[in-house]
Amino acid sequence: MDRTEADALERARAIHDDLSAWRRQLHAHPELAFQEAGTAATLRGFLEDLGVRPSAPMAGTGFAGTVPGRVPGPTVALRADMDALPIQEANDAPYASVHPGVAHLCGHDAHCAMLVGAAKLLADDPPARGAVRLLFQPAEEEGGGAERMIEDGALESPEPGAIFALHVDPSVDVGRIALRNGPVHASVGDFDLVVRGEGGHAAKPHQAVDAVAVAGQVITALQQLASRAADPVHPFVLTIGTVEGGFARNVIAPEVRLSGTVRTFDPRQREAAPEWIRRCAEGVAGAFGARIELEYRHGYPATVNDASLRPWAEGVAASLLGGDRVEEAPTSMGGEDFAYYGRVVPAFIGRLGVRNEGRGLVHPLHHPKFDLDEEALPIGAAWLAGVARRWLDDAAA
Ligand code: NI
C-alpha cells in the first residue's frame, strides 16, 4: 500500500461534498422496489463520471461496476441497495422526497452514495492487485432483489472471494461502527390466514359461527407459539399485522382475514412455523366449529455474518475510527436480503452509526422523520473501500 490507511478517512472527508450531493439527489427522487430506473440511471452516470463502466442490467434495475486493481488477482464485492419505502416523508429538508408517499427512510440513498464514494476512492488509488465489484441491487425492502442479482450472475465470472456491505443504524452514534459475527438479521415468513365461520343475525349467535369471536381466540392462541412452541433460547416473533372482517354491527361476520409475519434466526423454527400456525389455528377454530385457510410464504433467510471476515471489517473500522469506536452490534429481528449473498460466498454486513442527538437525528429506520448525519458518509465510503483494499491485499499475500 503506497498510502497508509490512517489517512484514508481524510481522503474520504475530502469528497464529503460529493457524497452529500449524491445522497441528496437520490434522496429527493426515491423509487420503490424494482422501479428504481431513475435511481439506477443516476448512479450509472455517477460511475461513468469516475471512469467506471456499469454492467448490463441485472435483476431489472440493478447493475454492477468493476474497479480493477493495478494487476489481475482475486475479486471482492461490495453491495448497496437502491430502493425506497412506500411512506410519506415527514422531514422538510431541502433534499426531502419530491415523490408523494415514497421516501428513502431506510438509508439506502446513503448506501448507494457511499458505494459510489468507495468507487471514487478506489479508482483514484487502485488496489495493488485484483478487482472490486460494486453491486447496486434493487428491491431490498420487498421482493428479494439480492436473489435476482445472483440469478443474473452478480457473483459469477469470477466469483468474488468475499462480499461486504454496510447498513446505516440510527441507534449507533455517528463516528462509530457496530459489528457482529453470526446471525444479525432474522429470517422472514409471511402468512395470510382466513377464519371461516357462518354468518347470521347478531342477536342469534347460536344459529351462526362468529368468525370475529373465533379470530380473536386464534390471535390470542397464536401468541402462545412464541412462548410455548419456540425454544426460549432462540428468538421467535409472530405478529398479526392486519385484521379484516364483518359488514355491520348487527351482523355476525362469516369470515375474518388475518395477515402476519414470523421472524426467527433458527432454521428449524423457520421450517416449523407454518405447521405450528396451521395446527394452532385449526385446533382453536375447530373447537368453535370454524375452519381456517392458511397461506404461508418463506421470505428472506436469516443473515449470518461470516466470522472469518471479521478481521477485515473490524481492522479497517478500528484504523479509521480508533478501536474504542467499534462496538458490538445487537441482533435485529428485521429481515435483510443480504442473506442471499451469504449463501453463495463469505459475507459480512456492518452497521454504520448515523445518530446525532444534538441535531435531532434520532428517529428509527422506516420512521417518517428518519434522517441521518451525513458526517457518516465519508466514514462509510472509507470503510467500504478499506475492507475491499485490505481483503485484496491479504488474499494476494
Ligand atoms: Ni434497509
Side-chain angles (χ1 to χ4, degrees):
M1 205 177 310
D2 27 351
R3 285 188 267 181
T4 64
E5 260 176 4
D7 63 18
L9 189 52
E10 284 317 304
R11 280 181 282 131
R13 285 195 169 126
I15 61 164
H16 183 278
D17 290 351
D18 285 336
L19 287 162
S20 286
W22 293 331
R23 182 249 165 174
R24 290 175 179 208
Q25 186 172 342
L26 297 170
H27 190 94
H29 303 94
E31 293 165 305
L32 296 176
F34 290 124
Q35 298 171 27
E36 308 93 336
T39 302
T42 300
L43 287 165
R44 284 169 173 274
F46 293 160
L47 288 184
E48 279 161 0
D49 290 346
L50 302 176
V52 177
R53 199 153 53 89
S55 74
M58 296 174 171
T61 50
F63 63 96
T66 299
V67 181
R70 294 196 169 91
V71 298
T75 295
V76 64
L78 301 171
R79 171 270 206 167
D81 38 12
M82 302 191 292
D83 57 325
L85 286 158
I87 304 173
Q88 176 64 43
E89 179 166 17
N91 292 311
D92 55 4
Y95 50 87
S97 170
V98 300
H99 296 165
V102 184
H104 271 296
L105 299 172
C106 199
H108 298 186
D109 51 338
H111 302 168
C112 289
M114 293 189 297
L115 191 53
V116 174
K120 179 163 175 57
L121 297 171
L122 290 162
D124 288 350
D125 178 21
R129 179 183 306 274
V132 182
R133 188 176 304 155
L134 316 159
L135 300 182
F136 292 88
Q137 73 152 80
E140 190 286 319
E141 297 291 352
E142 180 176 41
E147 194 176 25
R148 295 269 311 276
M149 290 287 287
I150 295 165
E151 285 166 11
D152 286 354
L155 299 181
E156 289 167 29
S157 46
E159 182 174 292
I163 183 168
F164 293 91
L166 274 182
H167 202 297
V168 300
D169 189 336
S171 69
V172 177
D173 285 335
V174 67
R176 306 178 75 88
I177 285 179
L179 305 171
R180 185 182 191 90
N181 293 346
V184 284
H185 287 278
S187 68
V188 179
D190 293 328
F191 62 90
D192 292 291
L193 178 61
V194 183
V195 176
R196 283 201 201 292
E198 191 72 46
H201 196 294
K204 299 178 179 175
H206 58 294
Q207 294 174 354
V209 176
D210 185 349
V212 168
V214 175
Q217 300 282 348
V218 167
I219 292 167
T220 305
L222 287 175
Q223 298 308 316
Q224 293 273 62
L225 294 177
S227 79
R228 301 294 93 174
D231 182 337
V233 301
H234 292 297
F236 182 89
V237 174
L238 184 153
T239 292
I240 303 283
T242 68
V243 180
E244 287 173 62
F247 314 110
R249 72 177 74 245
N250 60 352
V251 177
I252 286 178
E255 74 171 43
V256 171
R257 292 171 300 284
L258 312 173
S259 72
T261 187
V262 168
R263 308 298 170 94
T264 183
F265 297 105
D266 185 76
R268 289 161 302 177
Q269 295 191 158
R270 170 177 165 85
E271 289 308 313
E275 188 48 34
W276 288 352
I277 293 171
R278 176 181 303 285
R279 199 175 59 197
C280 176
E282 226 164 46
V284 171
F288 298 102
R291 290 170 295 120
I292 62 126
E293 283 161 32
L294 176 67
E295 255 184 63
Y296 196 99
R297 294 171 300 279
H298 286 297
Y300 302 166
T303 301
V304 182
N305 273 343
D306 191 318
S308 75
L309 299 182
R310 174 73 173 247
W312 289 282
E314 179 154 3
V316 171
S319 80
L320 293 172
L321 304 172
D324 57 332
R325 302 225 167 117
V326 184
E327 55 188 71
E328 195 65 17
T331 51
S332 164
M333 300 310 285
E336 165 60 74
D337 81 346
F338 189 70
Y340 290 106
Y341 300 109
R343 288 178 152 189
V344 183
V345 297
F348 199 102
I349 185 167
R351 309 259 191 100
L352 176 68
V354 295
R355 180 185 186 86
N356 186 330
E357 285 204 36
R359 297 185 46 212
L361 302 168
V362 298
H363 295 93
L365 299 173
H366 296 207
H367 189 287
K369 282 183 165 298
F370 168 75
D371 199 359
L372 54 88
D373 189 335
E374 291 182 342
E375 294 304 315
L377 300 177
I379 298 171
W383 185 87
L384 289 164
V387 290
R389 187 189 303 281
R390 199 190 270 202
W391 188 90
L392 288 174
D393 285 346
D394 291 346

